[in-house]
Structures are given as structure tokens and as C-alpha cells.
Amino acid sequence: MRRRSLLIAVPAGLATLAACGDGGSDSSKASESASPSAPDASAAPPPKIVDGPLPAITEGVEFGEKPTVAKGSGDPSEDLAVKTVIAGGGKAIAENDFVVAHYLGQVWSTAKVFDNSYDRKAPLAIQLAQGSIIDGWRYGLTGKKAGSRVQMAVPPAWGYGTQGNEQAGIKGTDTLVFVVDVQDTFNAKSSAEGGEVAQDNVDLPKVGTNTDGKAPSIEVPDTKAPTKLASSYIIEGDGEEVGADNSVLVQYKGVLWDGGKEFDSTYERGQLTSFSLQQVVKGWAQGLTGKKVGSRVLIVIPPELGYGDTPPQGSDIKKDSTLVFSVDILAKL
């Protein structure tokens, strides 16, 4: 089984997109490692942030390289120690933003590495929100800029608490050391970035090209729905192409072909979402594969590639509905 970080919370909206009858999402599987996802409770007051002590990074000293970090020397600080090792020039991170980052975590006293994303060759995308991530990350990364390497020593109060994380071998008395390479940061107003593409097929919906963080309009034509999947750029970005086995961080809006009624939207919830293309309906997987990061994509999904005669319970999707989505691909994970 591919090794995954311990991120088991399913973001709102994924119940609508999740594929049916294929074993469920990997985000709900038992993990073999421990990411900085939040423990069950987080009640510690805001920490005092100090600049050390922090153990030396002895190898992998460049941004994006897997680091090797020495064992902590002496006793760690009782406060949250944070140091910008490499200063980036990107957007500043605000609380409640999503960060996309590679990271390595180890125990101060033993230098035992309990998790790293570099070996998985897939960065973590997680929201810096209370209850979503340990407080050490939430406080330590806020205000830092994308492109930065940040090192932190996180005492138990702002890590996994006195309960520790038994699965990862973290005791309730362990201070944790993280090296975090922040690749990018996104919030609920993030949008596609790129060049507009002509929408000249009169038989397909027209999608708004605004990039102000507001939901784009989707105008469904008064014609018969297509019987085959349609996927086309509305805005074409210049990022990497998305592979069929990748995960993505997105903004999206979905409407029904019949009547144009909206049934799901990250814009409405005010929260981005991430998922694996292997764990969503076939129309999403096929429609986004090969598309570039930074793009806005129109996907029209016929019933056999959507939900067919088994739509999600409690949704506005009826049997044999054709679905229309506008999807902004913010990051590939």
C-alpha cells in the first residue's frame, strides 16, 4: 500500500464527488505515519514564539531537498521555536489558508523520523485552521511566505498533547522537530491563473472567467445534453499536467444540466478541497487528467460517468443527471 500521511478527515463536499462502490477514499484508510493533522482536542493558549534552540540541518540544505536533521542538544525550549531557514518571496500565509508543503518530522531527543512527505513524492495540502492541524504549525507558519523553508521545535502542548501519538511512536513528553518547505499558499478566494480560451462551442455551457475568488457563472444552453464527456479549458494555466494518479487542490462549482441548479460549490462553503483523482467519479478523473495546474476547466459529465441511477442521498442530483462543473486546479499533490 502506498504510504500516506495521517489525514483522515473528509472535507465537506467530498460526499458529493466520491466514487460509488469502489472501496472508498484513501483519506479514510488507516495511516502508517503521522502528519501534523490535529489531535482530538486543542485547548492550549497561543504560544510564545522564540528563535531556538533548534538542531542543525546537516544534509539536504536546499529548498525542496529532503533534509537530514541532527538530534536535539540539551533540553528543548518550553516555548514554540521557529526559524526561517530560507526566506521565500511568495504570498504570506494567513491563518485558515491552505498550505502546500513538503515536510519532515522527527523527535527532538532521539532524531527518530516519524514522517516525511519527500519519500512519498507528494506534498501535503492542509488548512492552517484550529482542529485541522497541530497548533505548532498553525502558529509557526502564519506570516511566513511561500518559497520559505521553516524549521520548528514543537513542545507537546502545541503538538499532540500529553496523549502523544502512539501509532507514530510519539510520547506525550516529546518535543517534535519539523522542517517545512512551503511551496504555496491558497485561501477561499484563490482562483485559476492563466490565459482565457475561446468558448466557441455553442452546444456547451459558458463559464465565467472572473478570477476574483467569486464563483464563476455557468450558463447551460437550452439544448440536449451531450452523451459523451466534455472537458475543455476556460482559463489555461501554465503549471504541470495532472496525472490520473495525482491528488489535486481545487475550487469548484457544480450545476445540473437540466435547469442549471447549483448542487455543490466550494465557493459557497468558503473552503477549498483536495482529493485523489482515483477516488472521485470517473467523469472528474477523466476530465482533469492531462489538464494543467492553474487552469479553470469545464467538465460536462454524462450519467454513466457520474452517478447514473444511484445519486448521492440528500443531494439535488436526480437519477441519470448530466452534471456540469467549473473546476479551478490550484495545485497538484
Side-chain angles (χ1 to χ4, degrees):
M1 183 178 76
R2 181 182 172 193
R3 195 164 178 262
R4 300 283 295 182
S5 59
L6 187 61
L7 293 175
I8 60 175
V10 179
L14 284 193
T16 303
L17 293 176
C20 299
D22 63 356
S25 170
D26 341 281
S27 62
S28 63
K29 292 180 182 177
S31 170
E32 300 169 21
S33 57
S35 80
S37 54
D40 292 337
S42 179
K48 178 182 178 182
I49 297 178
V50 296
D51 59 7
L54 288 162
I57 300 173
T58 58
E59 295 181 28
V61 298
E62 299 298 326
F63 181 89
E65 292 182 340
K66 179 184 175 181
T68 299
V69 184
K71 186 172 74 170
S73 176
D75 294 329
S77 174
E78 295 181 356
D79 300 312
L80 176 62
V82 181
K83 178 182 179 181
T84 300
V85 180
I86 299 171
K91 295 173 288 186
I93 301 168
E95 188 171 356
N96 295 316
D97 280 2
F98 273 81
V99 293
V100 176
H102 272 299
Y103 69 96
L104 178 141
Q106 67 184 46
V107 177
W108 172 280
S109 60
T110 64
K112 176 190 173 184
V113 175
F114 55 82
D115 192 24
N116 87 89
S117 65
Y118 302 91
D119 288 347
R120 290 192 291 273
K121 301 187 185 304
L124 172 73
I126 197 164
Q127 189 177 24
L128 292 187
Q130 187 173 19
S132 296
I133 196 167
I134 60 172
D135 284 340
W137 274 53
R138 186 162 66 95
Y139 291 113
L141 292 183
T142 295
K144 304 302 183 185
K145 292 184 177 181
S148 297
R149 167 167 283 192
V150 180
Q151 187 178 13
M152 298 180 282
V154 181
W158 297 285
Y160 293 100
T162 56
Q163 74 271 26
N165 187 315
E166 183 178 358
Q167 185 178 15
I170 298 170
K171 300 191 295 291
T173 56
D174 284 335
T175 288
L176 309 178
V177 177
F178 290 97
V179 176
V180 184
D181 287 333
V182 182
Q183 296 186 337
D184 214 337
T185 179
F186 302 93
N187 58 38
K189 294 188 178 298
S190 295
S191 292
E193 298 178 354
E196 295 182 17
V197 176
Q199 301 181 60
D200 49 12
N201 187 335
V202 297
D203 295 323
L204 291 179
K206 297 293 185 290
V207 178
T209 57
N210 58 296
T211 57
D212 55 0
K214 296 179 181 179
S217 59
I218 301 178
E219 299 176 8
V220 180
D222 188 18
T223 59
K224 188 176 180 180
T227 58
K228 295 183 179 181
L229 177 75
S231 175
S232 58
Y233 286 119
I234 303 301
I235 296 173
E236 185 172 357
D238 60 2
E240 295 181 272
E241 290 187 359
V242 174
D245 60 347
N246 288 144
S247 294
V248 289
L249 178 69
V250 298
Q251 286 266 39
Y252 72 87
K253 172 181 173 180
V255 305
L256 301 173
W257 183 282
D258 292 334
K261 182 178 181 179
E262 180 180 307
F263 61 83
D264 196 9
S265 171
T266 57
Y267 302 94
E268 182 68 22
R269 290 191 297 276
Q271 183 169 335
L272 308 177
T273 193
S274 62
F275 52 82
S276 166
L277 292 190
Q278 296 179 319
Q279 302 298 331
V280 290
V281 294
K282 292 180 180 178
W284 264 71
Q286 294 177 17
L288 292 183
T289 296
K291 295 297 189 290
K292 297 175 185 176
V293 172
S295 300
R296 176 169 296 165
V297 180
L298 165 69
I299 311 176
V300 180
I301 303 177
E304 62 270 20
L305 296 179
Y307 297 101
D309 60 359
T310 56
Q313 292 185 351
S315 75
D316 290 321
I317 301 173
K318 308 302 181 184
K319 290 183 178 181
D320 298 320
S321 291
T322 296
L323 310 178
V324 181
F325 287 96
S326 169
V327 185
D328 284 16
I329 309 171
L330 302 178
K332 182 176 80 169
L333 311 176

mmCIF file of all heavy atoms in Angstrom, residues 125-150:
data_model
loop_
_atom_site.group_PDB
_atom_site.id
_atom_site.type_symbol
_atom_site.label_atom_id
_atom_site.label_comp_id
_atom_site.label_asym_id
_atom_site.label_seq_id
_atom_site.Cartn_x
_atom_site.Cartn_y
_atom_site.Cartn_z
ATOM 1 N N ALA A 125 -1.233 19.005 1.504
ATOM 2 C CA ALA A 125 -2.092 20.196 1.442
ATOM 3 C C ALA A 125 -3.002 20.148 2.647
ATOM 4 O O ALA A 125 -3.758 19.195 2.821
ATOM 5 C CB ALA A 125 -2.917 20.215 0.155
ATOM 6 N N ILE A 126 -2.879 21.143 3.499
ATOM 7 C CA ILE A 126 -3.667 21.127 4.724
ATOM 8 C C ILE A 126 -4.008 22.547 5.123
ATOM 9 O O ILE A 126 -3.257 23.485 4.831
ATOM 10 C CB ILE A 126 -2.904 20.394 5.850
ATOM 11 C CG1 ILE A 126 -3.827 20.001 6.995
ATOM 12 C CG2 ILE A 126 -1.717 21.219 6.342
ATOM 13 C CD1 ILE A 126 -3.230 18.964 7.926
ATOM 14 N N GLN A 127 -5.140 22.704 5.786
ATOM 15 C CA GLN A 127 -5.580 24.032 6.190
ATOM 16 C C GLN A 127 -4.999 24.389 7.553
ATOM 17 O O GLN A 127 -5.015 23.576 8.484
ATOM 18 C CB GLN A 127 -7.103 24.092 6.244
ATOM 19 C CG GLN A 127 -7.655 25.499 6.434
ATOM 20 C CD GLN A 127 -9.161 25.536 6.420
ATOM 21 O OE1 GLN A 127 -9.820 24.540 6.709
ATOM 22 N NE2 GLN A 127 -9.722 26.694 6.108
ATOM 23 N N LEU A 128 -4.501 25.606 7.673
ATOM 24 C CA LEU A 128 -3.974 26.088 8.951
ATOM 25 C C LEU A 128 -5.126 26.601 9.804
ATOM 26 O O LEU A 128 -5.257 27.796 10.069
ATOM 27 C CB LEU A 128 -2.945 27.199 8.735
ATOM 28 C CG LEU A 128 -1.624 26.820 8.080
ATOM 29 C CD1 LEU A 128 -0.669 27.997 8.116
ATOM 30 C CD2 LEU A 128 -0.995 25.608 8.742
ATOM 31 N N ALA A 129 -5.959 25.673 10.216
ATOM 32 C CA ALA A 129 -7.150 26.014 10.984
ATOM 33 C C ALA A 129 -7.185 25.178 12.255
ATOM 34 O O ALA A 129 -6.738 24.028 12.272
ATOM 35 C CB ALA A 129 -8.409 25.752 10.162
ATOM 36 N N GLN A 130 -7.713 25.759 13.307
ATOM 37 C CA GLN A 130 -7.830 25.032 14.565
ATOM 38 C C GLN A 130 -8.667 23.776 14.343
ATOM 39 O O GLN A 130 -9.734 23.820 13.741
ATOM 40 C CB GLN A 130 -8.472 25.904 15.636
ATOM 41 C CG GLN A 130 -8.477 25.280 17.024
ATOM 42 C CD GLN A 130 -8.975 26.239 18.083
ATOM 43 O OE1 GLN A 130 -9.642 27.229 17.763
ATOM 44 N NE2 GLN A 130 -8.668 25.969 19.336
ATOM 45 N N GLY A 131 -8.162 22.657 14.815
ATOM 46 C CA GLY A 131 -8.858 21.398 14.638
ATOM 47 C C GLY A 131 -8.458 20.642 13.398
ATOM 48 O O GLY A 131 -8.787 19.469 13.259
ATOM 49 N N SER A 132 -7.744 21.315 12.485
ATOM 50 C CA SER A 132 -7.288 20.650 11.265
ATOM 51 C C SER A 132 -5.821 20.271 11.334
ATOM 52 O O SER A 132 -5.382 19.356 10.638
ATOM 53 C CB SER A 132 -7.505 21.556 10.043
ATOM 54 O OG SER A 132 -8.870 21.803 9.825
ATOM 55 N N ILE A 133 -5.052 20.979 12.140
ATOM 56 C CA ILE A 133 -3.603 20.820 12.159
ATOM 57 C C ILE A 133 -3.102 21.131 13.563
ATOM 58 O O ILE A 133 -3.776 21.855 14.317
ATOM 59 C CB ILE A 133 -2.975 21.774 11.119
ATOM 60 C CG1 ILE A 133 -1.539 21.409 10.811
ATOM 61 C CG2 ILE A 133 -3.080 23.220 11.573
ATOM 62 C CD1 ILE A 133 -0.991 22.121 9.588
ATOM 63 N N ILE A 134 -1.955 20.581 13.933
ATOM 64 C CA ILE A 134 -1.436 20.876 15.268
ATOM 65 C C ILE A 134 -1.141 22.367 15.386
ATOM 66 O O ILE A 134 -0.793 23.035 14.418
ATOM 67 C CB ILE A 134 -0.189 20.032 15.599
ATOM 68 C CG1 ILE A 134 0.955 20.285 14.614
ATOM 69 C CG2 ILE A 134 -0.535 18.548 15.681
ATOM 70 C CD1 ILE A 134 2.257 19.619 15.002
ATOM 71 N N ASP A 135 -1.279 22.873 16.601
ATOM 72 C CA ASP A 135 -1.146 24.310 16.809
ATOM 73 C C ASP A 135 0.263 24.818 16.509
ATOM 74 O O ASP A 135 0.443 25.988 16.162
ATOM 75 C CB ASP A 135 -1.532 24.671 18.240
ATOM 76 C CG ASP A 135 -3.038 24.663 18.455
ATOM 77 O OD1 ASP A 135 -3.768 24.764 17.457
ATOM 78 O OD2 ASP A 135 -3.478 24.565 19.619
ATOM 79 N N GLY A 136 1.270 23.948 16.659
ATOM 80 C CA GLY A 136 2.628 24.379 16.337
ATOM 81 C C GLY A 136 2.760 24.847 14.913
ATOM 82 O O GLY A 136 3.416 25.857 14.619
ATOM 83 N N TRP A 137 2.130 24.121 13.997
ATOM 84 C CA TRP A 137 2.132 24.534 12.585
ATOM 85 C C TRP A 137 1.270 25.775 12.399
ATOM 86 O O TRP A 137 1.647 26.701 11.670
ATOM 87 C CB TRP A 137 1.599 23.396 11.714
ATOM 88 C CG TRP A 137 2.614 22.396 11.298
ATOM 89 C CD1 TRP A 137 3.480 21.707 12.093
ATOM 90 C CD2 TRP A 137 2.876 21.958 9.963
ATOM 91 N NE1 TRP A 137 4.248 20.859 11.353
ATOM 92 C CE2 TRP A 137 3.897 20.990 10.036
ATOM 93 C CE3 TRP A 137 2.339 22.274 8.726
ATOM 94 C CZ2 TRP A 137 4.396 20.340 8.908
ATOM 95 C CZ3 TRP A 137 2.826 21.629 7.601
ATOM 96 C CH2 TRP A 137 3.855 20.679 7.693
ATOM 97 N N ARG A 138 0.123 25.776 13.030
ATOM 98 C CA ARG A 138 -0.822 26.881 12.840
ATOM 99 C C ARG A 138 -0.197 28.213 13.246
ATOM 100 O O ARG A 138 -0.309 29.228 12.540
ATOM 101 C CB ARG A 138 -2.086 26.608 13.659
ATOM 102 C CG ARG A 138 -3.210 27.593 13.437
ATOM 103 C CD ARG A 138 -4.525 27.021 13.912
ATOM 104 N NE ARG A 138 -4.580 26.820 15.340
ATOM 105 C CZ ARG A 138 -5.095 27.695 16.199
ATOM 106 N NH1 ARG A 138 -5.565 28.854 15.766
ATOM 107 N NH2 ARG A 138 -5.153 27.428 17.484
ATOM 108 N N TYR A 139 0.495 28.226 14.382
ATOM 109 C CA TYR A 139 1.133 29.453 14.845
ATOM 110 C C TYR A 139 2.494 29.674 14.185
ATOM 111 O O TYR A 139 2.881 30.811 13.906
ATOM 112 C CB TYR A 139 1.301 29.413 16.365
ATOM 113 C CG TYR A 139 -0.002 29.510 17.128
ATOM 114 C CD1 TYR A 139 -0.473 28.436 17.869
ATOM 115 C CD2 TYR A 139 -0.753 30.675 17.116
ATOM 116 C CE1 TYR A 139 -1.670 28.513 18.581
ATOM 117 C CE2 TYR A 139 -1.952 30.768 17.809
ATOM 118 C CZ TYR A 139 -2.400 29.688 18.547
ATOM 119 O OH TYR A 139 -3.583 29.775 19.243
ATOM 120 N N GLY A 140 3.221 28.601 13.936
ATOM 121 C CA GLY A 140 4.581 28.736 13.423
ATOM 122 C C GLY A 140 4.665 29.158 11.974
ATOM 123 O O GLY A 140 5.629 29.821 11.564
ATOM 124 N N LEU A 141 3.670 28.793 11.167
ATOM 125 C CA LEU A 141 3.723 29.105 9.737
ATOM 126 C C LEU A 141 2.982 30.390 9.372
ATOM 127 O O LEU A 141 3.241 30.967 8.312
ATOM 128 C CB LEU A 141 3.158 27.947 8.914
ATOM 129 C CG LEU A 141 3.974 26.653 8.920
ATOM 130 C CD1 LEU A 141 3.336 25.630 7.995
ATOM 131 C CD2 LEU A 141 5.420 26.907 8.504
ATOM 132 N N THR A 142 2.061 30.817 10.216
ATOM 133 C CA THR A 142 1.325 32.048 9.909
ATOM 134 C C THR A 142 2.297 33.223 9.786
ATOM 135 O O THR A 142 3.146 33.442 10.652
ATOM 136 C CB THR A 142 0.281 32.338 10.998
ATOM 137 O OG1 THR A 142 -0.700 31.292 10.990
ATOM 138 C CG2 THR A 142 -0.416 33.664 10.750
ATOM 139 N N GLY A 143 2.186 33.945 8.692
ATOM 140 C CA GLY A 143 3.055 35.089 8.426
ATOM 141 C C GLY A 143 4.269 34.759 7.580
ATOM 142 O O GLY A 143 4.902 35.662 7.033
ATOM 143 N N LYS A 144 4.607 33.467 7.450
ATOM 144 C CA LYS A 144 5.716 33.077 6.590
ATOM 145 C C LYS A 144 5.286 33.165 5.126
ATOM 146 O O LYS A 144 4.101 33.187 4.812
ATOM 147 C CB LYS A 144 6.185 31.655 6.912
ATOM 148 C CG LYS A 144 6.573 31.438 8.375
ATOM 149 C CD LYS A 144 7.665 32.369 8.817
ATOM 150 C CE LYS A 144 8.087 32.072 10.258
ATOM 151 N NZ LYS A 144 9.061 33.039 10.765
ATOM 152 N N LYS A 145 6.267 33.179 4.226
ATOM 153 C CA LYS A 145 5.958 33.340 2.812
ATOM 154 C C LYS A 145 6.199 32.053 2.031
ATOM 155 O O LYS A 145 7.091 31.266 2.370
ATOM 156 C CB LYS A 145 6.793 34.465 2.215
ATOM 157 C CG LYS A 145 6.428 35.842 2.743
ATOM 158 C CD LYS A 145 7.212 36.943 2.040
ATOM 159 C CE LYS A 145 6.784 38.315 2.533
ATOM 160 N NZ LYS A 145 7.519 39.402 1.835
ATOM 161 N N ALA A 146 5.394 31.857 1.004
ATOM 162 C CA ALA A 146 5.613 30.728 0.101
ATOM 163 C C ALA A 146 7.026 30.799 -0.468
ATOM 164 O O ALA A 146 7.533 31.871 -0.760
ATOM 165 C CB ALA A 146 4.586 30.744 -1.022
ATOM 166 N N GLY A 147 7.638 29.639 -0.604
ATOM 167 C CA GLY A 147 9.019 29.581 -1.041
ATOM 168 C C GLY A 147 9.996 29.517 0.114
ATOM 169 O O GLY A 147 11.211 29.428 -0.099
ATOM 170 N N SER A 148 9.484 29.552 1.349
ATOM 171 C CA SER A 148 10.333 29.534 2.535
ATOM 172 C C SER A 148 10.535 28.121 3.066
ATOM 173 O O SER A 148 9.647 27.273 2.960
ATOM 174 C CB SER A 148 9.726 30.391 3.652
ATOM 175 O OG SER A 148 9.646 31.746 3.283
ATOM 176 N N ARG A 149 11.711 27.889 3.643
ATOM 177 C CA ARG A 149 11.959 26.706 4.469
ATOM 178 C C ARG A 149 11.899 27.163 5.918
ATOM 179 O O ARG A 149 12.634 28.066 6.326
ATOM 180 C CB ARG A 149 13.292 26.062 4.159
ATOM 181 C CG ARG A 149 13.737 25.027 5.197
ATOM 182 C CD ARG A 149 14.901 24.161 4.755
ATOM 183 N NE ARG A 149 14.456 23.124 3.820
ATOM 184 C CZ ARG A 149 15.209 22.083 3.450
ATOM 185 N NH1 ARG A 149 16.447 21.964 3.924
ATOM 186 N NH2 ARG A 149 14.740 21.182 2.615
ATOM 187 N N VAL A 150 11.025 26.523 6.689
ATOM 188 C CA VAL A 150 10.810 26.897 8.084
ATOM 189 C C VAL A 150 11.118 25.685 8.955
ATOM 190 O O VAL A 150 10.664 24.570 8.677
ATOM 191 C CB VAL A 150 9.357 27.361 8.316
ATOM 192 C CG1 VAL A 150 9.147 27.751 9.777
ATOM 193 C CG2 VAL A 150 9.015 28.527 7.392
#
